[in-house]
Amino acid sequence: MMHFLLLFSRQGKLRLQKWFTPVTDREKKKVIRDMTAMVLARPARSSNFLQWRDLKIVYKRYASLYFCTGLEDQDNELLALEVLHRYVELLDKYFGNVCELDIIFNFEKAYFILDEFLMGGEILETSKEVVGVSMEAGDILQETMEEYMSKPAY
């Protein structure tokens, strides 16, 4: 089970964070600081797996963003890489070749996609099509609500 999922830039700026286990704000800041420092300091050709405290850290860089997750000892690192890759595929499908600015300016969509894909640190839905349908339905609902709210009340 994943403990957290972090997205951060090559400059160490946090772009998205999802915590699947209860953690204090102070501990979250420490984890974020440690993850960004450890991952950014690694040479490009290094393994994408680290040991940190009692967790396995799995990360992957896509363009200017690092996707990083913390796993329990018995979890499969290769499956975690696949989960990270699937999330990137879902983001790509929705945004059309996702970039860091898409995450910054549409973070609520990135969180929505993540919530449709993962729940409690476990895979909820493996089908890109099903997640895509959920995203379309959410967009339609949002547009309908915006239209409704923009109409004057009589």
Side-chain angles (χ1 to χ4, degrees):
M1 180 183 91
M2 287 185 177
H3 286 251
F4 57 83
L5 176 68
L6 305 174
L7 271 68
F8 51 89
S9 69
R10 288 185 301 199
Q11 295 77 30
K13 301 272 188 211
L14 186 66
R15 299 301 182 201
L16 183 138
Q17 61 178 318
K18 185 74 172 182
W19 301 87
F20 301 109
T21 55
V23 181
T24 66
D25 287 344
R26 185 176 178 172
E27 183 64 18
K28 284 178 186 178
K29 287 178 184 168
K30 174 140 179 53
V31 170
I32 292 165
R33 188 175 55 246
D34 288 355
M35 290 305 105
T36 54
M38 283 184 351
V39 169
L40 293 175
R42 297 190 42 96
R45 298 228 179 248
S46 296
S47 164
N48 291 26
F49 311 124
L50 297 165
Q51 190 67 38
W52 181 76
R53 296 185 186 171
D54 59 340
L55 297 177
K56 286 189 228 178
I57 305 304
V58 177
Y59 70 93
K60 181 84 172 134
R61 180 177 163 198
Y62 290 92
S64 64
L65 287 174
Y66 285 90
F67 292 69
C68 177
T69 186
L71 308 174
E72 294 177 354
D73 238 7
Q74 69 272 15
D75 290 334
N76 185 328
E77 299 97 332
L78 296 177
L79 181 59
L81 273 178
E82 282 299 313
V83 168
L84 295 177
H85 186 70
R86 176 53 58 103
Y87 183 48
V88 171
E89 287 178 330
L90 291 167
L91 291 169
D92 273 344
K93 183 176 181 196
Y94 184 77
F95 290 110
N97 200 13
V98 68
C99 68
E100 187 175 351
L101 290 175
D102 291 322
I103 303 295
I104 293 169
F105 292 114
N106 299 292
F107 64 90
E108 71 285 347
K109 300 288 187 193
Y111 278 111
F112 188 84
I113 293 169
L114 184 60
D115 290 341
E116 289 295 313
F117 174 50
L118 294 175
M119 180 181 280
E122 302 284 341
I123 297 171
L124 176 65
E125 180 55 64
T126 58
S127 168
K128 287 187 266 189
E129 286 73 29
V130 171
V131 173
V133 167
S134 293
M135 289 303 299
E136 287 174 25
D139 286 347
I140 290 169
L141 180 63
Q142 183 178 0
E143 289 168 14
T144 305
M145 287 301 296
E146 287 172 359
E147 286 175 22
Y148 177 76
M149 298 303 283
S150 67
K151 291 182 181 178
Y154 295 105

